[in-house]
C-alpha cells in the first residue's frame, strides 16, 4: 500500500469546499479496509466520496517535493488498482472526466481509462497490453476482461471496486452477471474492497447483502436535506373523459414558455418515440431554437450522443429532449430544471431524473411534471406526496437465473479455465446463487459440455471440456470467438443501422432502429429519427439507407420497452389522494384542477379509497362490462383480469374480452354475470394461484417468447458476427426450434423451467399479484351499476379499442364517444 496521504482535504481546500460528514465517513471506512454501500442524494458528492477514499488509501504523489528523487521523465502510471462499474455509457464518460479532474494538481500519476461498448479497437488493444490505474467499465466489459486467458495476471493488482448507480443493476440479470464477476475477483483478492453507490434505494439493507454477501458491510447515509421541488404544468381545461396520451402536446405552448424562461433544462420522456415527437414539435414551435436544442436517446449514433453531452456540459444548449439515456449520474451543472413528459410511473425514477438539475451540493433540484391526460394530474399530486416522504421502490435480485450461469461457465473456461468444485463454491458465494443445488450445478456443467440430453450430437454445443488435469476449458477457437461476441445479458430485437444514402457509399451513420419497424415501411415512406424527417431509400445488409424527406406525415419508430407499470408506492399515494377527494378535500392546484372530473366520477359512481375496492358494471350494445380498480399496475391487472375470467369460466360457459391500464381492468362478456354474488373469497383466493394463472393465459406462448431471451443469453442462439448479424426472424426461428426440441425430447431442461418462471415473475409479476389479491380481499367491495362510462372507465374502453381492428380512426371514434358522454354529463348536471 502507498504511503497514506490526505488528498481529499488538499483538493477540497483548493476548491473552497468543505467535506460532508458522509464523505469523511467513507474516507475513514476505506482507510480501515471496509466495504459498504453509500446512499446519498443526487449531486451531493458521492463520486468524490469514493474516489478520494481510493486515492487516500492507494495513491502516491509525484508532485515536486514529494519524492526523494528528482523527476527526469513523466512517471509511469501504477497498474490497475480501481475498477469503477457503471450501468451506462454516458455515465462512464462523465465519470472519467470527474475522476481525472483532481489528478494533475495533486501530482498523482494515475491513469484513468474507459472500457465500454463504445471503446475503439485501438484503445482496447492498448488496454490489452496494460490496463489503466483506474478503469471505468460496464458489467459486460468486466466479464469480457475475466474471459481473457491471462485475466488473473491482468487483474492481479486490483484493490477496490466501486459500483455506481447500484440500484440500476440490482434488480436485473446485469446485476447477477456482476455478482458472479465480483465473486471471481474476491476469489483472487479476498481483501478486495467493494462499495456500491446509489441515490434511490428503497431497501438499503437488502442491497448491501446482495452486493457484499460475505459481509460485513457498512451503510453510510448521506445528507437527505437537498431541496427538491416538484410542480406541475396545469392545463387551462381538462377533459372529464380522459384517454392516455391525448393531452401532452396540447401543453406544448406552456412547455415552450418554461424552456424559454430557463437557461438550460432537460425534457425527459418515457420512450424514444415520444422523444422524437416532442423534439420535432419544439422545433416547429420555435424554429429559432435550431442548434440550441438537441435530442438524446440510446439509438442515436455514439458521435451524436457524445456531442450532445459535451454541449450540455459546456452550457451551449438550452434544452435536450431525452429518455432514460440521461437518467443516471451524469453531471450537467448548467441544467437548472427538468421537465417530465407524462408520469414517471415511479418515485425513485422521478427523484433520479429531478436530480439531473441542480447537480451540485447545496443546489436545489426542480422537476416540472407535464401530464399527458387528466388522471395524471392525480398522479402528479401523489408523486409530490411520495417524494416528500421518500417512499422509494425496493429492488430485488433475480434468483439463480441459469442462462446467466451457463454463460458465466463458458466465460470462466475461457478465462484460464476452472475446476468445478472450486467454481461451485465461488458461485454459491453470490446472493443470486446462494442456494444453487447440486443437481442444478450438474445440469449446468452437462449443458456447457455437450448441450444436455437433446444436443449431444451437435459439435457447436460442446463448448467446454475438461483437459488432462481436470481443468475445464474451451478447446474450439471458433466457439471461443463466438462466445466473446455474445457476452452480456441485454437482449433486444435485432436493429438496423441507419445511414444517409450516398451513391458512392459511406453515408453518415445516424444510429439504429429495430428491424420490425423498418420491415413495415416501403421505399419512399417517411419517418422521424434523430429529429429529422427521413425517407426510406432501401434496405441492404442490415443497413437502412435514408434521405431527407419533405413529406408532411411521418411514422415514428416504436422501440420495445415503452410501457412502464405504475409502482406500488405511487399507486398507494394515488389511492390516498382519491380518498381525500371522496371526503371533499382537494389539496393543491393539481387536485383543484381535476376536481370537476372527480366530482363527476363520484356523482355517477364513486371514488376509490384506501378502505374500498371500487367496481362498476355497465350494460351496453357490446355486452356486459365489469370495471375494477385495484391500482396495481398494468402487468398485475393483466394477470388479475385473466385470473378472474378463468375462475368465472370454470363456473359457467362464458367468454371475456379484456382491457387493462395502470389503474384498473375491464372484463366484457356477451352474457350477464351476477358480480354481487361472484365476488367472494373463492374468486379472490390465493390458493391455486400459479396453476390458475398459467391456465388462464396462453402460458406456452408467453414462455416460448421469453425463451428467446434465455436462449440467447445461454449461448444456444448466436446473433451473428459484426457486419453480418442474423435477422430477428432468424433468431426467433432458432430459439423457437430449441424450445420445441426441448419440450419434446428434454422436458426436464432447466432453461424451459426458467422461461416459465420469468413469465410469472417479470411479465405478470405474480408476487405483486398475490399481494394485490391479499390486499383487495380485505377491502369492502364498492360495486355500482352505472348507466354510462365514468371518467375512470372511459380510458379502459379506449385501451380495448386500440387493440381492435376497424376502418374508423380511433380518434374519431373516441371523439364521438366523448361527445355522447359530455351530453349525458351536462344533462345530469342540469337535473
Amino acid at each position: 500500500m502507498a504511503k497514506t496521504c490526505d488528498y481529499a482535504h488538499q483538493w477540497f481546500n483548493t476548491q473552497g469546499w468543505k467535506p460532508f460528514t458522509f464523505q469523511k465517513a467513507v474516507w475513514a471506512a476505506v482507510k480501515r479496509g471496509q466495504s459498504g454501500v453509500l446512499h446519498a442524494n443526487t449531486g451531493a458528492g458521492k463520486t468524490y466520496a469514493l474516489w478520494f477514499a481510493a486515492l487516500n488509501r492507494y495513491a502516491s504523489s509525484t508532485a515536486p517535493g514529494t519524492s526523494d528523487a528528482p523527476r527526469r521523465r513523466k512517471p509511469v502510471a501504477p497498474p490497475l488498482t480501481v475498477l469503477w462499474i457503471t450501468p451506462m455509457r454516458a455515465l462512464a464518460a462523465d465519470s472519467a472526466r470527474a475522476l481525472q479532474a483532481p489528478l494533475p494538481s495533486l501530482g498523482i500519476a494515475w491513469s484513468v481509462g474507459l472500457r465500454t461498448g463504445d471503446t475503439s479497437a485501438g484503445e482496447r488493444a492498448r488496454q490489452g497490453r496494460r490496463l489503466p490505474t483506474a478503469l471505468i467499465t460496464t458489467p459486460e466489459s468486466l466479464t469480457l476482461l475475466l474471459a481473457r486467458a491471462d485475466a488473473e495476471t491482468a487483474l492481479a493488482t486490483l484493490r477496490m471496486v466501486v459500483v455506481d448507480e447500484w440500484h440500476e443493476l440490482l434488480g436485473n440479470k446485469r446485476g447477477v452477471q456482476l455478482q458472479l464477476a465480483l465473486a471471481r475477483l474476491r476469489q483472487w483478492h479476498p481483501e478486495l474492497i467493494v462499495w456500491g453507490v446509489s441515490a434511490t434505494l428503497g431497501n438499503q439493507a437488502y442491497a448491501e447483502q446482495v452486493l457484499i454477501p460475505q459481509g460485513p458491510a457498512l451503510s453510510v447515509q448521506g445528507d437527505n436535506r437537498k431541496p427538491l421541488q416538484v410542480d406541475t404544468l396545469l392545463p387551462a381545461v381538462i377533459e372529464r373523459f380522459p384517454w392516455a396520451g391525448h393531452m401532452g402536446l396540447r401543453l406544448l405552448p406552456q412547455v415552450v414558455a418554461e424552456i424559454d424562461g430557463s437557461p438550460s433544462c432537460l425534457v425527459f420522456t418515457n420512450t424514444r418515440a415520444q422523444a422524437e415527437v416532442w423534439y420535432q414539435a419544439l422545433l416547429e414551435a420555435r424554429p429559432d431554437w435550431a442548434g440550441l436544442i438537441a435530442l438524446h436517446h440510446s439509438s442515436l449514433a455514439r458521435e451524436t450522443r457524445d456531442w450532445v453531452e459535451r454541449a450540455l456540459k459546456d452550457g451551449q444548449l438550452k434544452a435536450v429532449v431525452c429518455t432514460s439515456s440521461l437518467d443516471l449520474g451524469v453531471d450537467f451543472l448548467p441544467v437548472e430544471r427538468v421537465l417530465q413528459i407524462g408520469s414517471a410511473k415511479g418515485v425513485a425514477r422521478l427523484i433520479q431524473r429531478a436530480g439531473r438539475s441542480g447537480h451540485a451540493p447545496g443546489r436545489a433540484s426542480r422537476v416540472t411534471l407535464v401530464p399527458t391526460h387528466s388522471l395524471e394530474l392525480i398522479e402528479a399530486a401523489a408523486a409530490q406526496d411520495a417524494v416528500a416522504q421518500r417512499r422509494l421502490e425496493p429492488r430485488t435480485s433475480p434468483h439463480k437465473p441459469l442462462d446467466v450461469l451457463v454463460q458465466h461457465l463458458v466465460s470462466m473456461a475461457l478465462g484460464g479455465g476452472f475446476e468445478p468444485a472450486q467454481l461451485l463454491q465461488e458461485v454459491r458465494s453470490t446472493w443470486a446463487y446462494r442456494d444453487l443445488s447440486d443437481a442444478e450445478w450438474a445440469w449446468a456443467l452437462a449443458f456447457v459440455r455437450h448441450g444436455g440430453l437433446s444436443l449431444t450430437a451437435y459439435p457447436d454445443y460442446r463448448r467446454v471440456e475438461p483437459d488432462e488435469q481436470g481443468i475445464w476449458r474451451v478447446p474450439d477457437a471458433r466457439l471461443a470467438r463466438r462466445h466473446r461476441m455474445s457476452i452480456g445479458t441485454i437482449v433486444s430485437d435485432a436493429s438496423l443501422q441507419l445511414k444517409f444514402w450516398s451513391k458512392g457509399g459511406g453515408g453518415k451513420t445516424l444510429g439504429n432502429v429495430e428491424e420490425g419497424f423498418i420491415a413495415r415501411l416501403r421505399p419512399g415512406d417517411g419517418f422521424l429519427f434523430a429529429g429529422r424527417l427521413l425517407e426510406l431509400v432501401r434496405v441492404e445488409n442490415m443497413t437502412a439507407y435514408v434521405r431527407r424527406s419533405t413529406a408532411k406525415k411521418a411514422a415514428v419508430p416504436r422501440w420495445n420497452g415503452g410501457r412502464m407499470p405504475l409502482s406500488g408506492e405511487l399507486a398507494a399515494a394515488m389511492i390516498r389522494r382519491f380518498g381525500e377527494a371522496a371526503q371533499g378535500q382537494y389539496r393543491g392546484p393539481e387536485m383543484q384542477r381535476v376536481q370537476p372530473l372527480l366530482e363527476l366520477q363520484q356523482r355517477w359512481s364513486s371514488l376509490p379509497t384506501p378502505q374500498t375496492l371500487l367496481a362498476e358494471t355497465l350494460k351496453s350494445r357490446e355486452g356486459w362490462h365489469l370495471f375494477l380498480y385495484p391500482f396495481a399496475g398494468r402487468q398485475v391487472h393483466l394477470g388479475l383480469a385473466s385470473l378472474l375470467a378463468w375462475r368465472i369460466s370454470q363456473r359457467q360457459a362464458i367468454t371475456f374480452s379484456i382491457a387493462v391500464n395502470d389503474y384498473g381492468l375491464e372484463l366484457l362478456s356477451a352474457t350477464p354475470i351476477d358480480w354481487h354474488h361472484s365476488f367472494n373469497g373463492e374468486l379472490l383466493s390465493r390458493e391455486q394461484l400459479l396453476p390458475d394463472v398459467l391456465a388462464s393465459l396462453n402460458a406456452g406462448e408467453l414462455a416460448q417468447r421469453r425463451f428467446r431471451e434465455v436462449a440467447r443469453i445461454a449461448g444456444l442462439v448466436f446473433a451473428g458476427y459484426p457486419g453480418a448479424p442474423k435477422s430477428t426472424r432468424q433468431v426467433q426461428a432458432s430459439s423457437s426450434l430449441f424450445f420445441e426440441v426441448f419440450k419434446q425430447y428434454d422436458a426436464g431442461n432447466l432453461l424451459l423451467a426458467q422461461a416459465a418462471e420469468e413469465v410469472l415473475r417479470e411479465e405478470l409479476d405474480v408476487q405483486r399479484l398475490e399481494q394485490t389479491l391479499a390486499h383487495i380481499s380485505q377491502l369492502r367491495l364498492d360495486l355500482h351499476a352505472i348507466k354510462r362510462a365514468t371518467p375512470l372507465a372511459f380510458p379502459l374502453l379506449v385501451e380495448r379499442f386500440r387493440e381492435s381492428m376497424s376502418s374508423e380512426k380511433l380518434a374519431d371514434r373516441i371523439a364521438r364517444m366523448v361527445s355522447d358522454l359530455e351530453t349525458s354529463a351536462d344533462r345530469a348536471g342540469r337535473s
Side-chain angles (χ1 to χ4, degrees):
M1 186 191 308
K3 181 181 178 180
T4 300
C5 298
D6 193 353
Y7 293 117
H9 284 91
Q10 289 181 37
W11 172 256
F12 275 55
N13 287 338
T14 61
Q15 302 300 309
W17 299 344
K18 183 179 179 181
F20 291 113
T21 301
F22 78 86
Q23 291 173 322
K24 292 187 286 187
V26 172
W27 299 338
V30 172
K31 185 177 180 180
R32 296 190 298 267
Q34 290 181 284
S35 297
V37 172
L38 168 61
H39 191 268
N41 283 326
T42 298
K46 298 187 296 296
T47 298
Y48 280 160
L50 270 304
W51 182 230
F52 279 106
L55 294 178
N56 282 346
R57 183 173 172 87
Y58 299 113
S60 59
S61 176
T62 59
T66 62
S67 175
D68 295 335
R71 292 183 301 157
R72 297 182 179 178
R73 61 177 63 90
K74 183 178 179 180
V76 177
L80 178 69
T81 304
V82 177
L83 275 176
W84 198 280
I85 310 298
T86 174
M88 295 183 69
R89 293 173 293 188
L91 183 54
D94 193 68
S95 296
R97 288 187 286 266
L99 302 193
Q100 181 64 43
L103 300 183
S105 62
L106 292 173
I108 298 174
W110 279 26
S111 55
V112 177
L114 282 172
R115 191 180 186 94
T116 70
D118 286 339
T119 303
S120 67
E123 178 61 20
R124 287 176 182 270
R126 284 189 291 273
Q127 292 178 3
R129 295 186 293 271
R130 180 182 176 85
L131 289 169
T133 316
L135 180 63
I136 302 166
T137 189
T138 60
E140 296 77 17
S141 293
L142 173 57
T143 302
L144 268 171
L145 283 175
L146 294 175
R148 288 171 43 169
D150 65 342
E152 186 171 4
T153 301
L155 299 171
T157 56
L158 180 66
R159 296 293 178 265
M160 183 173 175
V161 176
V162 177
V163 183
D164 207 356
E165 306 291 357
W166 170 226
H167 66 274
E168 187 68 19
L169 296 169
L170 171 60
N172 54 45
K173 290 183 181 179
R174 297 182 75 204
V176 175
Q177 183 181 22
L178 179 59
Q179 290 181 50
L180 290 168
L182 290 175
R184 170 49 53 107
L185 294 176
R186 289 189 182 103
Q187 178 70 24
W188 294 338
H189 307 291
E191 302 301 318
L192 185 69
I193 296 175
V194 177
W195 277 81
V197 182
S198 178
T200 52
L201 277 172
N203 49 343
Q204 296 178 42
Y206 174 87
E208 293 161 15
Q209 291 177 332
V210 175
L211 184 64
I212 311 165
Q214 77 282 4
L218 181 67
S219 177
V220 176
Q221 184 68 42
D223 188 352
N224 281 328
R225 292 174 295 179
K226 179 180 175 67
L228 175 57
Q229 179 183 349
V230 183
D231 53 32
T232 310
L233 285 188
L234 301 176
V237 295
I238 65 165
E239 285 78 359
R240 288 179 286 185
F241 302 96
W243 53 284
H246 77 283
M247 199 173 70
L249 286 173
R250 292 189 183 180
L251 294 177
L252 178 63
Q254 290 172 256
V255 172
V256 168
E258 297 296 324
I259 295 174
D260 203 21
S262 176
S264 180
C265 65
L266 294 176
V267 181
F268 274 104
T269 66
N270 290 338
T271 67
R272 285 168 278 181
Q274 197 178 31
E276 293 279 354
V277 170
W278 271 89
Y279 176 74
Q280 193 69 25
L282 288 172
L283 274 182
E284 290 175 359
R286 290 292 298 267
D288 57 310
W289 281 354
L292 294 178
I293 65 173
L295 179 66
H296 191 290
H297 59 68
S298 58
S299 288
L300 298 177
R302 174 194 171 188
E303 293 76 15
T304 301
R305 289 183 277 113
D306 287 347
W307 177 85
V308 172
E309 291 161 24
R310 287 194 303 270
L312 190 57
K313 287 182 71 71
D314 294 341
Q316 299 174 17
L317 293 175
K318 190 167 188 62
V320 174
V321 182
C322 57
T323 63
S324 57
S325 59
L326 290 183
D327 260 7
L328 301 177
V330 184
D331 183 7
F332 297 128
L333 284 178
V335 174
E336 289 195 355
R337 67 181 303 187
V338 166
L339 287 94
Q340 166 66 44
I341 307 296
S343 169
K345 297 299 180 185
V347 183
R349 185 180 298 110
L350 181 60
I351 291 176
Q352 189 77 44
R353 292 181 173 181
R356 305 280 65 79
S357 64
H359 197 276
R363 289 181 59 183
S365 296
R366 181 185 177 190
V367 59
T368 298
L369 306 176
V370 182
T372 59
H373 61 81
S374 302
L375 292 174
E376 281 189 352
L377 287 166
I378 308 171
E379 280 195 60
Q384 293 177 23
D385 296 342
V387 166
Q389 298 164 12
R390 289 300 193 270
R391 294 181 177 272
L392 303 179
E393 294 83 7
R395 316 259 181 136
T396 57
S397 169
H399 184 225
K400 56 182 179 185
L402 295 178
D403 54 346
V404 181
L405 177 60
V406 164
Q407 184 185 108
H408 184 70
L409 291 181
V410 182
S411 298
M412 295 306 96
L414 286 171
F418 66 83
E419 191 277 317
Q422 181 179 344
L423 185 58
L424 173 59
Q425 183 180 6
E426 181 182 309
V427 168
R428 281 177 174 165
S429 72
T430 66
W431 178 269
Y433 299 97
R434 64 195 183 280
D435 57 355
L436 184 73
S437 69
D438 289 341
E440 289 166 332
W441 176 249
W443 175 88
L445 289 175
F447 192 77
V448 298
R449 187 173 185 179
H450 50 67
L453 296 177
S454 54
L455 301 177
T456 55
Y458 301 94
D460 277 3
Y461 303 103
R462 300 173 193 165
R463 291 178 282 176
V464 182
E465 292 280 353
D467 61 15
E468 295 82 359
Q469 289 77 39
I471 305 300
W472 289 48
R473 306 181 189 276
V474 179
D476 189 311
R478 179 181 63 88
L479 295 181
R481 186 168 59 253
R482 278 179 43 165
H483 179 79
R484 287 192 173 97
M485 286 188 292
S486 304
I487 285 176
T489 62
I490 300 176
V491 177
S492 59
D493 285 346
S495 60
L496 298 179
Q497 194 174 50
L498 288 183
K499 283 189 174 183
F500 273 124
W501 171 250
S502 173
K503 291 184 178 179
K508 179 183 176 182
T509 298
L510 295 173
N512 57 77
V513 69
E514 287 184 0
E515 181 188 23
F517 172 74
I518 292 295
R520 293 193 294 270
L521 301 181
R522 295 173 298 178
D525 286 351
F527 64 99
L528 281 177
F529 187 86
R532 300 177 174 95
L533 185 55
L534 305 174
E535 175 185 305
L536 180 65
V537 177
R538 62 187 297 180
V539 177
E540 187 176 84
N541 297 327
M542 297 302 287
T543 299
Y545 292 96
V546 298
R547 60 187 169 211
R548 292 186 182 273
S549 172
T550 58
K552 294 183 179 180
K553 292 185 178 181
V556 181
R558 298 290 174 180
W559 290 269
N560 286 336
R563 290 187 169 185
M564 298 178 290
L566 187 71
S567 76
E569 286 68 22
L570 189 52
M574 281 192 75
I575 289 291
R576 287 191 289 271
R577 283 287 191 159
F578 273 113
E580 291 178 5
Q583 300 298 319
Q585 302 175 30
Y586 294 89
R587 289 187 294 116
E590 295 86 1
M591 296 300 294
Q592 290 165 12
R593 186 58 54 90
V594 84
Q595 183 174 349
L597 181 150
L598 297 184
E599 288 177 342
L600 180 63
Q601 172 70 36
Q602 195 163 24
R603 193 159 61 244
W604 284 4
S605 171
S606 185
L607 288 172
T609 74
Q611 296 79 34
T612 60
L613 173 64
L614 176 61
E616 298 170 342
T617 58
L618 172 68
K619 171 64 174 70
S620 73
R621 287 174 295 180
E622 297 177 293
W624 281 262
H625 307 253
L626 170 74
F627 301 101
L628 191 68
Y629 307 101
F631 284 81
R634 182 183 299 271
Q635 290 171 299
V636 171
H637 290 158
L638 175 59
L640 180 59
S642 302
L643 178 69
L644 296 179
W646 167 259
R647 287 178 171 174
I648 290 291
S649 68
Q650 299 309 293
R651 305 174 185 175
Q652 63 186 92
I654 193 168
T655 301
F656 289 99
S657 295
I658 291 173
V660 300
N661 62 18
D662 275 326
Y663 307 147
L665 59 93
E666 177 201 21
L667 293 178
L668 171 63
S669 61
T671 54
I673 295 175
D674 183 356
W675 288 108
H676 277 285
H677 179 264
S678 297
F679 268 106
N680 52 33
E682 181 181 344
L683 186 65
L684 300 178
S685 171
R686 287 175 287 164
E687 294 183 11
Q688 294 295 306
L689 176 60
L690 290 184
D692 284 358
V693 168
L694 290 173
S696 69
L697 294 158
N698 188 350
E701 171 59 29
L702 289 174
Q704 183 171 350
R705 189 177 66 199
R706 194 74 189 184
F707 184 78
R708 296 168 191 163
E709 175 181 315
V710 171
R712 290 174 70 174
I713 294 173
L716 284 173
V717 177
F718 180 53
Y721 292 99
K726 293 183 178 179
S727 69
T728 302
R729 183 174 298 177
Q730 289 173 311
V731 172
Q732 289 176 347
S734 297
S735 62
S736 296
L737 177 61
F738 280 114
F739 185 83
E740 294 301 331
V741 168
F742 288 161
K743 278 183 63 179
Q744 187 170 355
Y745 301 106
D746 187 9
N749 191 294
L750 297 185
L751 295 183
L752 291 178
Q754 181 185 328
E757 190 271 335
E758 287 186 10
V759 167
L760 294 172
R761 187 185 69 243
E762 298 182 26
E763 296 196 30
L764 299 177
D765 200 350
V766 166
Q767 182 178 8
R768 191 174 171 190
L769 172 57
E770 185 174 15
Q771 295 169 351
T772 299
L773 282 172
H775 174 65
I776 64 177
S777 64
Q778 302 300 314
L779 301 178
R780 177 176 60 82
L781 180 65
D782 187 15
L783 182 61
H784 294 263
I786 56 178
K787 297 179 180 180
R788 58 192 70 81
T790 64
L792 284 177
F794 186 78
L796 286 165
L797 293 177
V798 174
E799 285 291 333
R800 185 160 45 79
F801 293 155
R802 289 183 195 275
E803 305 299 326
S804 62
M805 297 296 294
S806 172
S807 60
E808 184 180 17
K809 289 184 178 180
L810 176 65
D812 293 341
R813 189 172 185 183
I814 291 171
R816 191 178 68 250
M817 290 171 57
V818 168
S819 177
D820 293 343
L821 287 169
E822 289 285 3
T823 300
S824 298
D826 292 339
R827 288 173 180 169
R830 287 194 298 269
S831 63

